[in-house]
Amino acid sequence: MTAGNGSGGAERPTRTGRRPGQSGAREAILAAARARFADAGFDKTSVRAVATDAGVDPALVHHYFGTKQQLFAAVVELPVDPESTLRIIESVPLNQLGENIIRAVVGVWDSPAGPGIVAAVRSLLAGSDDPTLARAFVSEVVLERIRLRIATADDDGRTRVALVASQMVGVLVGRKILAVEPLASMPASDLAAAVGPTLQRYLTGDIGQDR
């Protein structure tokens, strides 16, 4: 029996093509964001563009992931949002930045989230994962926030933050992957006191760029 034209048989309006909130939208957003970030990087990727690619409303992206930075962290599968650590680093005096970077980052490595970070680094070092997104996250999100604090009219700070990154990777590998003693069991405060001055020189001291 065919429905009549009364209110009880009125046809429902056709969907616009956007995904409803509970039908694989989260996975679609992650896939779209992964492709966008890999192709365009962090700065040139917008939440609206990701939403369009995923076929959802931008509000749904914010609902699932919060900010664009948190979305990027989810894409690279970080077990912790770096925002709280970055806020600590940004709040300290410039002449104490090196020591506080070590203290804050080692605190995350030694936390319950640490094993997930170490596992991700192991995969990258072994060549199991494509380093493109991880490199973009480190350079465009984490290091960029530090660079903006130290950049001057004569020095954009890019070499300086790259040196900081190289030092931090070395400490991570020695402390958490190779477990070199006494580095592996050194209290975070002692490690900060030992390595912090080197980071501080990289950030604000003489690194011989003009020689």
Side-chain angles (χ1 to χ4, degrees):
M1 180 175 178
T2 304
N5 292 327
S7 59
E11 294 184 0
R12 294 184 179 182
T14 304
R15 291 189 180 275
T16 62
R18 296 198 179 277
R19 295 172 183 267
Q22 302 296 327
S23 60
R26 191 179 191 280
E27 292 73 17
I29 292 167
L30 279 175
R34 187 174 294 109
R36 276 275 176 178
F37 285 133
D39 181 59
F42 179 80
D43 287 341
K44 295 181 180 179
T45 295
S46 68
V47 168
R48 182 171 295 279
V50 170
T52 299
D53 292 349
V56 302
D57 191 277
L60 200 58
V61 179
H62 291 297
H63 169 73
Y64 281 122
F65 299 101
T67 65
K68 184 172 76 166
Q69 178 176 299
Q70 289 170 319
L71 174 60
F72 204 172
V75 166
V76 297
E77 299 181 343
L78 276 184
V80 61
D81 180 7
E83 183 61 32
S84 57
T85 303
L86 288 169
R87 284 202 197 104
I88 293 171
I89 292 171
E90 289 178 337
S91 68
V92 301
L94 193 59
N95 63 356
Q96 299 174 21
L97 193 54
E99 185 170 333
N100 278 279
I101 287 175
I102 283 282
R103 194 184 303 276
V105 173
V106 171
V108 174
W109 294 347
D110 292 348
S111 75
I117 296 173
V118 173
V121 172
R122 282 183 183 275
S123 294
L124 288 171
L125 293 177
S128 303
D129 293 334
D130 183 350
T132 303
L133 285 174
R135 182 170 55 242
F137 184 81
V138 170
S139 62
E140 296 184 36
V141 177
V142 178
L143 294 182
E144 182 65 9
R145 295 272 288 272
I146 298 172
R147 187 192 71 80
L148 290 173
R149 285 211 62 188
I150 63 170
T152 67
D154 300 319
D155 183 352
D156 64 13
R158 295 187 188 282
T159 298
R160 293 179 180 277
V161 295
L163 289 170
V164 169
S166 70
Q167 186 78 25
M168 294 303 297
V169 169
V171 173
L172 172 61
V173 171
R175 184 175 175 88
K176 291 297 185 181
I177 295 179
L178 299 181
V180 177
E181 292 292 359
L183 179 63
S185 57
M186 186 180 293
S189 58
D190 292 351
L191 188 57
V195 181
T198 299
L199 294 191
Q200 193 65 46
R201 180 174 69 82
Y202 287 158
L203 291 164
T204 59
D206 179 12
I207 57 173
Q209 287 179 285
D210 297 325
R211 294 178 184 175

